[in-house]
Amino acid sequence: MNGIPDEILNELPARVDRQAGAALITKLHFPISPRTLERWDVEWQLINGKSLADTRKLLAKAQRMADEAPRIRGGR
């Protein structure tokens, strides 16, 4: 995945809930809340009463969003 070393990806859990996913995305990409992840088009699985997403797919979606974000110029 672009920008995230394989050493870090290999240490992450296979699936994360929205709380852990938001913390990972905030740490690796941009600030986000768990409530925002509810609206993302990511496949969630209900396992043992918890909604879980594949960690790599979630981070890939965040990377795509960061790459596609418009660049703006600051100043006057």
Side-chain angles (χ1 to χ4, degrees), residues 29-30 61-71:
H29 293 290
F30 49 83
K61 170 71 174 169
Q63 183 68 52
R64 281 192 307 276
M65 290 181 74
D67 291 343
E68 294 171 0
R71 307 291 195 262

Side-chain angles (χ1 to χ4, degrees), residues 18-19 21-37 39-40 62 65-66:
R18 288 184 180 96
Q19 193 78 20
L24 277 173
I25 293 169
T26 297
K27 182 177 179 181
L28 298 172
H29 293 290
F30 49 83
I32 191 168
S33 74
R35 290 291 305 255
T36 302
L37 290 180
R39 292 181 273 133
W40 280 23
M65 290 181 74

Side-chain angles (χ1 to χ4, degrees), residues 10-74:
N10 292 335
E11 293 179 10
L12 297 176
R15 293 177 191 83
V16 291
D17 61 5
R18 288 184 180 96
Q19 193 78 20
L24 277 173
I25 293 169
T26 297
K27 182 177 179 181
L28 298 172
H29 293 290
F30 49 83
I32 191 168
S33 74
R35 290 291 305 255
T36 302
L37 290 180
E38 292 177 7
R39 292 181 273 133
W40 280 23
D41 60 341
V42 176
E43 187 176 285
W44 296 91
Q45 289 181 295
L46 189 62
I47 300 175
N48 210 21
K50 291 286 237 173
S51 292
L52 302 174
D54 181 271
T55 305
R56 289 180 182 255
K57 289 181 183 177
L58 192 63
L59 291 176
K61 170 71 174 169
Q63 183 68 52
R64 281 192 307 276
M65 290 181 74
D67 291 343
E68 294 171 0
R71 307 291 195 262
I72 60 171
R73 294 180 74 166

